[in-house]
Amino acid sequence: MLNTNMTEQEKLNSLLSQKMNELDERERTINELQDMINAQTERVQNLLNSVKDALLGFSSDELTVREKDGKVYVAMSDKLLFESGSARGKEALAKLAEVLNKQSDIDVYIEGHTDSKPINTAQFKDNWDLSVIRATSVVRILTKDYGVKPLQIQPCGRGEFMPVADNETADGRAKNRHTEIIMAPKLDKLYQMLNQ
């Protein structure tokens, strides 16, 4: 009977030890994930600071820089980028390209946005076309003129469907005509860790 009780006790001790090891492993994984999240947050903050420093001389009606959901957003006005001979727009893109060329471990999304006034010309069938052309023209400048890696950048058009202001006023429509450059540090390591 004593032998049976000892065997039961040994089984329980072994099971307890196994569970403790599993808990230790889970805690290590959680700590590792937390460290990765903290490092990611720090990378985003450093990227935000780099972009803000690079674009310091531009006014808020030309461009804005903000962080949201772990990404850095640079919204450049239509006036800054696309008015004829906009050397100032190219200057802003050159400064942004300097930041991008130093940080190849980020994904860059270029989004073209329009107001809600319909367009139908020989060049643009609708606002979708216009927004895509705006995005790809920025991509071309960044890649061809300033050497940003083409595979790092993805252009897309949002048309009039993500307004930042009221389309009923001229000022609101002007704010809605912009191009947004979204920079997101790659999350490959974090995804690999989560899928283990």
Side-chain angles (χ1 to χ4, degrees), residues 115-179:
D115 61 29
S116 62
K117 282 199 164 192
I119 187 170
N120 189 348
T121 66
Q123 189 178 6
F124 307 115
K125 188 174 183 178
D126 54 24
N127 280 327
W128 282 113
D129 279 352
L130 177 57
S131 65
V132 169
I133 294 297
R134 285 181 176 166
T136 55
S137 66
V138 169
V139 168
R140 281 189 192 100
I141 293 168
L142 288 171
T143 57
K144 291 184 178 181
D145 296 352
Y146 302 119
V148 176
K149 293 179 195 141
L151 292 178
Q152 189 177 1
I153 299 180
Q154 298 177 42
C156 71
R158 296 291 191 167
E160 73 250 28
F161 300 103
M162 291 180 71
V164 294
D166 184 3
N167 273 306
E168 298 303 314
T169 67
D171 185 50
R173 285 190 300 275
K175 286 179 181 165
N176 289 332
R177 294 188 302 268
H178 67 282
T179 300

Side-chain angles (χ1 to χ4, degrees), residues 80-99:
L80 175 68
L81 288 175
F82 299 110
E83 281 188 359
S84 59
S86 179
R88 192 130 168 88
K90 282 195 90 169
E91 178 189 345
L93 291 175
K95 290 181 180 209
L96 190 58
E98 285 178 30
V99 173

Side-chain angles (χ1 to χ4, degrees), residues 41-106:
T41 301
E42 187 177 333
R43 286 174 64 205
V44 169
Q45 192 58 49
N46 290 338
L47 178 60
L48 178 65
N49 292 338
S50 296
V51 170
K52 280 184 174 180
D53 289 347
L55 299 173
L56 198 57
F58 294 88
S59 66
S60 61
D61 67 325
E62 292 176 310
L63 62 82
T64 58
V65 179
R66 65 187 168 89
E67 183 270 333
K68 181 183 171 197
D69 299 329
K71 298 175 185 164
V72 175
Y73 292 78
V74 178
M76 296 186 173
S77 72
D78 186 48
K79 176 179 71 169
L80 175 68
L81 288 175
F82 299 110
E83 281 188 359
S84 59
S86 179
R88 192 130 168 88
K90 282 195 90 169
E91 178 189 345
L93 291 175
K95 290 181 180 209
L96 190 58
E98 285 178 30
V99 173
L100 296 177
N101 286 331
K102 289 177 188 167
Q103 301 193 33
S104 59
D105 61 340
I106 59 174

